[in-house]
Amino acid sequence: MAELPIPDVPPARCSGRFTISTLLGMEEGGRGPYTPTEGSSCDSAQPTQLSSSTLCTRTFGYNTVDVVPAYEHYANSKGVGDPRKGRPSLADLHSILKVTGGLAVPIASLASPAIPCPPRWGSLCPPQIRCMLNIWGVILYLRLPWITAQAGIALTWLIILMSVTVTTITGLSISAISTNGKVKSGGTYFLISRSLGPELGGSIGLIFAFANAVAVAMHTVGFAETVRDLLQEHNSLIVDPTNDIRIIGVITVTVLLGISLAGMEWEAKAQILFFLVILVSFINYLVGTVIPATAEKQAKGFFSYRADIFVQNFVPNWRGPEGSFFGLFSIFFPSATGILAGANISGDLKDPAVAIPKGTLMAIFWTTMSYLVLSATIGACVVRDASGSLNDSVAVGSPGCEGLACSFGWNFTACAQQQSCRYGLSNYYQSMSMVSGFGPLITAGIFGATLSSALACLVSAPKVFQCLCKDQLYPLIGFFGKGYGRNSEPIRGYMLTYVIAVGFILIAELNAIAPIISNFFLCSYALINFSCFHASITNSPGWRPSFRYYSKWAALFGAAVSVVIMFLLTWWAALIAFGIVIFLLGYVLYKKPDVNWGSSMQASSYNMALNYSVGLSEVDEHIKNYRPQCLVLTGPPNFRPALVDFVGTFTKNLSLMLCGNVLIGPRKQKMPESRLMADGHTKWLMKRKIKAFYTDVVAEDLRSGVQMLIQAAGLGKMRPNILVLGYKRNWRTASPESLEDYVGILHDAFDFKYGVCVMRMKEGLNVSRVLQAHEHPENAADPTTLASEQQASTIFQSKQGKKTIDIYWLFDDGGLTLLIPYLLGRKKRWGKCKIRVFVGGQINRMDEERKAIVSLLSKFRLGFHEVHILPDINQKPRPEHIKRFDELIAPFRLNDGFKDEAAVNEMRQGCPWKISDEEVDKNRAKSLRQVRLNEILRDYSRDAALIAITPPIGRKGRCPSSLYMAWLETLSQDLRPPIILTRGNQENVLTFYCQ
C-alpha cells in the first residue's frame, strides 16, 4: 500500500473512511482529478466530498492514497478498465510520488454528490398487489366456471397447476435476474437484456410488449362483455351483441389511456381501489355459496354445496369447438400471465431486488389458491345445465325426468337434450354473479379485475417498449422511445399500445383473443427460462443471482414445458412465434448493436473460444490442416490499409490474422498511448470488416519489438507462422541502423521458423501522411476518430475481373508460394482471375519439366493448369540493367580493393551494412539472377493483377543488409501490379497424401 509522509497536522474525525490529499505529478496549487469541492465534510452520513486539508487515518493509522471499499466506487461501472469515481488510479498508487513543500497536496474526494432519485411509489402499490391484480383478470370471473364445467374439477385443477408450474418456474427465473445486479427502469426487458444480453433481451422485450398490448384488448373485451350482458338483461342493447362489445371496449380503453396519461400516482391509486373491490367480491361469492338457494337461483342451476353435484362435475364433459383439454388450457393460461407486472415497473420500485421476487412468488401462491378454491366450490354448487324457468320445478322422483337436478326437484331434461339451456356452468358465463350473495358486487369485481389488468398491461407495454426503443436494437422504432415530463412518460408508446389494443378489441370474441396471448406469453416464458439456464451453464462471472431458490435445471424444465405446450395448443401459431423470435435474434446477432451489458452470450462466446483453444492444444499438427496464420506488421492498421486488406482477404474465415504495432520509445511515455489507441484500432478493423486481432508492444527499437511479437503473439496452437510486412521503399535514404533492423527482422523470422511475406506496391503502402494531412491535430490521439475516419480504398477491395495471378515458383520453399495465391483465388473478388505458374527450366527439357510440374500441381489439387517454363532465366541481363544495379549498390560499397578479411572487418567497423568487393564478386551470379528475373517479370506479367514470387535468402554473416535489399529492389522494381515476395520455412504446407 502506498504510504505518504504525514505532516504535523492533527487528524480530523472520520466515520470509518479516509482520503489522502496528495497529487502525483500535479503542479503546485493545481487541482487534480480528486480535488474536492468547497464545503464538503468527512463526517456526513451520505457519501460526500472531503475537505482538502483533511487526513482521515483512522482505518490504517497512516496516511495513504488508497481508499477503503465503498459503494460509489462500483456504481455505474460499465466495463473492465473504466475509471470509477473516488478511487485513485493505479498510476496514483504506483508512480513516483511528488510532495510539495513537505506537505501533501490535497486532491482526493471519495464520493460524488448524491444524485437525486425520481419519485418512487412502490410502497403505495407493491408488486404483490400489482401481480395479483394482473393475474385476477377476466378469465377468473367469466371463464373459470365455464372451464370447470367443460373439463371437470379434476382436469381444471390440472390446467391450473400446469399453468402455475410454468409461471412459478418463470417467476423463479425472473427473481434470479432481478437479484443479479442493480435494477433500473424498463421492467422485464431491462432485467433480461442487462443480465442476459441484447440478443435474447431484445426479442423477449418486443414480444412481451406486444403480448401486453393484446392483453389490454382481452381484459377490455371481458369488461365490455359483462356490460353488454347487463344491457341485454334490461333489453337496452346499443346496436347488437357483437358491436356493443366493440363500442364499449373502445370507449373503455380510451378512458384507461386517459388514466395512464394522468400519471403513475393516479394509476397506482386506481389499482389499490380495484384490489379492494376484488377482495370484497371474493368474500361476497364465498358467502353466497353457503346461503340456501332461492327458487330463482335453483332454476338457474345453483343448489348450494351438494356432494353429488361435486361428483358429477369432477369429471369432464366436453362441448363445442373449444371442448378439449389444450383448447381450454389456451383460454385459461392468460389468467396466469400477470406474474411480470411487478417486474415491468422495476424502475418505480424502492428496492426491486427484494420487492420483485417476494411480490411475484406470493402473488402466484395466493392467486393459485383462489383459482383452486373457486373451481372446487362452484363445481360443488352448480349443475352444468339449467333452464332458468321457475316452471321447470317438479316433484322429486317424477317420471321422464333425467339428470342430477331431478333429485333436487327440477326438470331441465328438455333444454339439456336440445342443448338450449341458457343457464348452468356450461352455458352461463355469469355463474359467479348468480351464486354470490349480492350480484352487483361480483359485477363490480369483474369491473375491477378486468379494468385493473387492462390498466396494468396498458402501463407495462409502453414502458418496456420505451426502454427497447432507447437501446436502438431494431430500426424504425426509435420514434416511440421519446419520454415526456419529469418521469419521462412514454406517451408515444401509450398511443401505439392503444392502437394495437383497439385493433384486437374489434375482434370482440374473448375465446379467440386468449389463445393468441397464450402463445406469445409461453414463448416469452420459454425464452426467459432458457436465457437463465444459458447464463448458468456458461459460468459467466457476471451471473451471480442472490436469489437462493433458483435452479438452472428448473429453468430448463420450464423452457421445455413452455415449448411443448405451445405446439400442443396450436402448432402453426407456435411456428410463427418462434419464427419471429429467430428473426429478431438473428437481426441483433447480424447487426451487432454497439452495446456492452456483460451478457451471457459474451460469456458463452468466451467459453467456447477457450474450450476450443485448449482443445486445439491436444491435436497434433498435420500438413492437411495447415493454415497460414499471419502476424502482420502494420503499425497502426489504418496507416497500411492495403497490407491489411491483402492478408484479411485470404485469412477471412480461415485462419488467424494479428496486426502488430511496435511503439518505439520510453515505456512510461508510450504505455498511455498504447492503452488509448488499442480500442480505436480494433474498432477500425471491425468497421473495415477485417477479422483480425490488434496487439502492440513498447520497445526501444523496431527489431526488439518485433522479436517480442514473434515470440509472444498468439495462443496455444493459434500462433502465427507467417510474418507479413511491407517493403521498405526508403531503404537507400533511411538510417543504416533502420536498414539493419529491417533485414534483421527477416532473419529473426526465419530463426523462429516463420515463413516470410513481403508486399510491395508501386504507390507504396503507408498512407499515414495522407491521413495526417486531413486530421486535426487536437483529434490525433482520440481513438474514436480512428473508427469514424473515412476508410481508404485499396486494390484488394475491388473486383479484379479476368486478369491473371502470376506465381513464380522459383525455389521449393514447402509450397507457401503456391498456397497464398490459391487461397486468394477462392475469394469472390479474385475468383475470375486465371492463375499461371512459372518455373525455371532448361530449353532442351521444357516438355519433360512442364509435365513434371503439371503432374505435381495436379496431385496438390490446387486447380492450377497453366504452367510456363522459363528457359531463358539464366541468360545474361541487358547491360543497361546491370549498370543500374551497380549504381544501386555503389553508395554502400567499401571499395576495399579485395583486401584480406581482417582488413575488411576493420574498415567495416561500425558499418556492417557495407559491401566488400569480395562479397560483390562472390554474389555476382545471384545479383545478375535478380536483374534477369525483373526483366522476365516485366515481359510476362505487366498486366497481371498480382505477382507472387519466391525471393532469394541472404545468408547471415555473408550477405550485408544493403546487398540483400538491393536484390529485393532489383527484383521488384518498375512493376505495375502488386508483388508478393513469399518464402516458406522450408517445411511442407501442401501434401497429396490422404493421411
Side-chain angles (χ1 to χ4, degrees):
M1 188 171 288
E3 296 186 30
L4 302 177
I6 304 179
D8 189 16
V9 178
R13 191 162 55 92
C14 181
S15 299
R17 308 182 71 239
F18 57 96
T19 75
I20 229 17
S21 22
T22 301
L23 178 61
L24 304 172
M26 188 179 79
E27 299 297 330
E28 278 191 52
R31 292 176 65 86
Y34 303 99
T35 307
T37 56
E38 295 180 2
S40 55
S41 167
C42 181
D43 243 347
S44 172
Q46 295 294 331
T48 58
Q49 294 182 327
L50 304 175
S51 170
S52 61
S53 62
T54 299
L55 292 176
C56 297
T57 61
R58 179 173 176 176
T59 304
F60 293 104
Y62 61 89
N63 197 3
T64 174
V65 176
D66 265 336
V67 296
V68 293
Y71 167 84
E72 57 268 22
H73 300 163
Y74 297 88
N76 296 320
S77 60
K78 296 179 181 179
V80 177
D82 290 347
R84 290 162 176 85
K85 298 179 180 179
R87 182 189 300 153
S89 68
L90 186 61
D92 292 335
L93 299 173
H94 184 251
S95 301
I96 298 174
L97 178 64
K98 179 177 179 181
V99 179
T100 305
L103 286 175
V105 183
I107 66 160
S109 69
L110 293 184
S112 57
I115 301 173
C117 296
R120 307 289 190 187
W121 50 267
S123 59
L124 181 62
C125 182
Q128 179 178 340
I129 293 179
R130 180 168 286 275
C131 287
M132 292 175 73
L133 282 169
N134 215 15
I135 294 172
W136 283 334
V138 59
I139 303 298
L140 170 68
Y141 288 95
L142 299 182
R143 291 298 183 270
L144 186 56
W146 173 75
I147 292 173
T148 303
Q150 290 263 12
I153 297 172
L155 291 185
T156 300
W157 275 37
L158 181 60
I159 289 172
I160 294 170
L161 293 176
M162 282 179 58
S163 302
V164 169
T165 299
V166 173
T167 56
T168 301
I169 293 174
T170 306
L172 294 174
S173 297
I174 284 294
S175 299
I177 296 173
S178 65
T179 58
N180 190 50
K182 187 176 180 180
V183 179
K184 297 182 181 179
S185 62
T188 307
Y189 165 70
F190 180 90
L191 291 172
I192 295 169
S193 62
R194 268 51 177 184
S195 292
L196 308 175
E199 301 86 358
L200 295 169
S203 55
I204 293 173
L206 203 57
I207 288 177
F208 195 73
F210 177 76
N212 271 281
V214 179
V216 175
M218 183 188 74
H219 295 297
T220 306
V221 166
F223 170 82
E225 190 177 285
T226 303
V227 175
R228 187 274 317 269
D229 290 345
L230 291 174
L231 294 175
Q232 204 166 14
E233 287 181 6
H234 296 84
N235 297 318
S236 301
L237 289 176
I238 303 172
V239 181
D240 57 63
T242 301
N243 284 314
D244 279 11
I245 292 176
R246 293 170 178 154
I247 295 170
I248 297 167
V250 171
I251 294 173
T252 303
V253 78
T254 304
V255 173
L256 293 177
L257 176 65
I259 294 175
S260 300
L261 295 177
M264 293 302 291
E265 291 186 5
W266 281 97
E267 192 264 354
K269 292 175 181 177
Q271 295 285 31
I272 292 293
L273 177 62
F274 291 146
F275 183 73
L276 295 175
V277 170
I278 292 173
L279 289 182
V280 171
S281 71
F282 277 169
I283 296 171
N284 174 52
Y285 161 76
L286 292 174
V287 170
T289 60
V290 297
I291 297 176
T294 63
E296 291 181 354
K297 288 187 177 183
Q298 288 183 357
K300 295 179 180 180
F302 172 60
F303 298 97
S304 295
Y305 289 108
R306 300 294 178 98
D308 43 1
I309 296 179
F310 180 85
V311 170
Q312 186 187 56
N313 288 336
F314 192 78
V315 295
N317 181 18
W318 309 113
R319 300 184 186 182
E322 297 95 358
S324 65
F325 179 83
F326 285 105
L328 296 178
F329 181 92
S330 67
I331 294 174
F332 173 81
F333 187 76
S335 66
T337 57
I339 62 170
L340 301 182
N344 286 338
I345 56 163
S346 58
D348 300 306
L349 299 174
K350 291 182 178 180
D351 191 357
V354 174
I356 291 174
K358 183 178 179 181
T360 301
L361 296 177
M362 289 301 295
I364 292 174
F365 174 78
W366 288 116
T367 53
T368 302
M369 291 297 102
S370 67
Y371 285 144
L372 295 175
V373 168
L374 192 148
S375 62
T377 53
I378 204 164
C381 297
V382 184
V383 296
R384 285 191 169 103
D385 294 298
S387 64
S389 173
L390 294 174
N391 296 328
D392 288 337
S393 176
V394 295
V396 176
S398 297
C401 182
E402 298 178 2
L404 185 62
C406 297
S407 61
F408 308 136
W410 293 88
N411 185 3
F412 302 136
T413 306
C415 74
Q417 292 177 348
Q418 298 172 6
Q419 296 184 351
S420 61
C421 296
R422 292 181 55 195
Y423 296 94
L425 285 182
S426 295
N427 309 294
Y428 189 44
Y429 289 149
Q430 303 286 346
S431 294
M432 279 188 67
S433 178
M434 181 263 295
V435 169
S436 66
F438 183 60
L441 281 180
I442 295 297
T443 303
I446 295 174
F447 288 175
T450 53
L451 294 179
S452 66
S453 298
L455 193 56
C457 294
L458 187 59
V459 170
S460 298
K463 283 188 172 290
V464 172
F465 194 60
Q466 181 187 35
C467 191
L468 180 65
C469 293
K470 287 183 176 180
D471 287 334
Q472 299 180 345
L473 300 181
Y474 303 108
L476 307 177
I477 63 173
F479 172 80
F480 299 99
K482 182 177 175 59
Y484 294 87
R486 184 180 62 175
N487 294 329
S488 188
E489 293 293 337
I491 294 179
R492 294 176 179 176
Y494 281 126
M495 298 308 298
L496 178 63
T497 304
Y498 173 79
V499 171
I500 294 173
V502 168
F504 280 89
I505 286 171
L506 296 180
I507 297 176
E509 179 54 54
L510 188 62
N511 290 358
I513 299 174
I516 298 174
I517 298 174
S518 295
N519 245 300
F520 280 105
F521 274 115
L522 280 168
C523 184
S524 299
Y525 293 168
L527 287 172
I528 291 171
N529 287 310
F530 177 76
S531 301
C532 291
F533 172 75
H534 182 265
S536 300
I537 62 172
T538 55
N539 297 318
S540 171
W543 177 251
R544 301 187 303 274
S546 58
F547 184 70
R548 59 180 176 174
Y549 299 109
Y550 164 75
S551 167
K552 62 183 177 183
W553 302 115
L556 178 62
F557 176 74
V561 168
S562 299
V563 172
V564 170
I565 293 174
M566 282 180 67
F567 281 94
L568 290 176
L569 294 184
T570 316
W571 65 267
W572 56 266
L575 288 177
I576 292 174
F578 277 106
I580 294 171
V581 170
I582 292 171
F583 172 77
L584 295 174
L585 180 64
Y587 180 84
V588 176
L589 288 172
Y590 174 75
K591 296 297 290 185
K592 294 181 175 62
D594 188 19
V595 295
N596 183 16
W597 298 327
S599 68
S600 64
M601 297 294 286
Q602 293 173 328
S604 176
S605 299
Y606 177 86
N607 280 357
M608 290 176 61
L610 183 62
N611 291 333
Y612 283 129
S613 298
V614 173
L616 277 177
S617 300
E618 303 172 2
V619 178
D620 293 332
E621 293 182 354
H622 195 281
I623 301 173
K624 290 196 299 181
N625 293 326
Y626 175 86
R627 295 170 186 264
Q629 304 189 115
C630 300
L631 170 60
V632 191
L633 300 184
T634 59
N638 59 320
F639 281 11
R640 293 171 178 82
L643 191 62
V644 171
D645 291 340
F646 164 66
V647 181
T649 301
F650 69 81
T651 59
K652 185 176 183 181
N653 299 325
L654 177 75
S655 60
L656 173 71
M657 175 180 175
L658 199 153
C659 295
N661 182 19
V662 179
L663 301 173
I664 301 173
R667 187 177 61 180
K668 293 180 181 178
Q669 192 178 79
K670 292 297 180 178
M671 282 304 293
E673 178 184 343
S674 171
R675 289 193 296 266
L676 181 67
M677 302 300 290
D679 188 52
H681 291 313
T682 300
K683 289 182 178 179
W684 184 89
L685 290 168
M686 292 171 61
K687 183 178 179 182
R688 202 170 180 86
K689 297 182 179 179
I690 299 293
K691 294 188 176 182
F693 299 97
Y694 169 83
T695 187
D696 54 33
V697 295
V698 178
E700 297 297 329
D701 56 72
L702 177 65
R703 186 175 181 181
S704 61
V706 174
Q707 288 173 345
M708 295 179 196
L709 288 172
I710 289 175
Q711 295 179 79
L715 179 69
K717 293 293 178 69
M718 294 183 63
R719 299 179 62 86
N721 50 29
I722 299 174
L723 181 70
V724 183
L725 66 165
Y727 178 72
K728 189 175 179 64
R729 298 179 69 199
N730 65 340
W731 66 273
R732 283 173 288 179
T733 58
S735 66
E737 291 79 9
S738 67
L739 176 61
E740 280 286 291
D741 279 352
Y742 183 82
V743 177
I745 287 170
L746 302 181
H747 288 308
D748 294 337
F750 290 130
D751 287 342
F752 287 106
K753 304 292 287 183
Y754 272 57
V756 170
C757 184
V758 179
M759 180 179 178
R760 182 177 186 180
M761 295 181 66
K762 186 175 182 180
E763 60 274 18
L765 295 173
N766 195 333
V767 298
S768 58
R769 291 185 179 180
V770 178
L771 292 176
Q772 291 167 355
H774 293 84
E775 191 177 72
H776 297 290
E778 62 272 15
N779 295 332
D782 184 3
T784 58
T785 61
L786 289 174
S788 60
E789 73 180 18
Q790 185 176 359
Q791 297 273 349
S793 60
T794 68
I795 187 176
F796 298 99
Q797 292 180 314
S798 57
K799 292 185 177 180
Q800 299 303 309
K802 296 183 178 181
K803 297 181 182 179
T804 62
I805 298 176
D806 291 348
I807 303 173
Y808 289 82
W809 194 24
L810 305 179
F811 307 101
D812 190 353
D813 60 346
L816 187 62
T817 306
L818 296 173
L819 181 61
I820 291 179
Y822 165 74
L823 296 175
L824 202 64
R826 293 170 60 185
K827 302 301 179 179
K828 185 176 181 180
R829 291 169 181 165
W830 296 80
K832 293 184 179 180
C833 290
K834 181 171 64 175
I835 297 180
R836 304 188 298 178
V837 180
F838 296 84
V839 295
Q842 300 177 16
I843 194 168
N844 57 345
R845 299 185 66 249
M846 286 180 60
D847 289 341
E848 293 86 345
E849 291 178 349
R850 183 181 180 280
K851 289 180 181 178
I853 295 297
V854 169
S855 174
L856 178 61
L857 294 177
S858 65
K859 292 178 180 179
F860 286 148
R861 305 176 306 281
L862 297 174
F864 300 166
H865 305 294
E866 187 170 342
V867 177
H868 297 269
I869 305 298
L870 301 174
D872 53 351
I873 194 171
N874 291 319
Q875 289 182 2
K876 189 175 182 179
R878 299 173 189 171
E880 62 270 21
H881 294 157
I882 298 175
K883 180 181 179 182
R884 183 168 65 175
F885 176 78
D886 292 335
E887 292 173 349
L888 182 65
I889 64 173
F892 302 96
R893 295 187 62 170
L894 278 175
N895 296 315
D896 55 294
F898 294 94
K899 294 180 180 178
D900 57 28
E901 187 174 352
V904 169
N905 289 337
E906 185 177 350
M907 293 179 65
R908 189 183 274 167
Q909 192 71 29
C911 48
W913 57 87
K914 290 285 188 177
I915 313 169
S916 69
D917 292 347
E918 184 180 4
E919 289 165 341
V920 172
D921 187 60
K922 284 184 177 179
N923 292 289
R924 189 65 177 173
K926 200 169 186 177
S927 300
L928 294 180
R929 168 69 69 89
Q930 313 313 316
V931 178
R932 178 58 186 153
L933 283 174
N934 179 255
E935 293 176 350
I936 293 174
L937 293 178
R938 285 191 286 173
D939 288 341
Y940 287 91
S941 303
R942 65 169 61 93
D943 297 323
L946 181 74
I947 299 173
I949 188 170
T950 314
I953 291 183
R955 189 176 297 277
K956 288 194 297 183
R958 291 288 181 261
C959 179
S961 57
S962 55
L963 179 59
Y964 185 70
M965 288 304 299
W967 289 347
L968 299 185
E969 175 72 25
T970 301
L971 178 63
S972 59
Q973 66 186 354
D974 299 334
L975 295 173
R976 186 196 61 80
I979 180 168
I980 311 299
L981 306 169
T982 307
R983 188 81 194 208
N985 63 359
Q986 301 305 112
E987 295 182 359
N988 288 351
V989 301
L990 296 173
T991 182
F992 43 76
Y993 292 109
C994 62
Q995 79 276 3

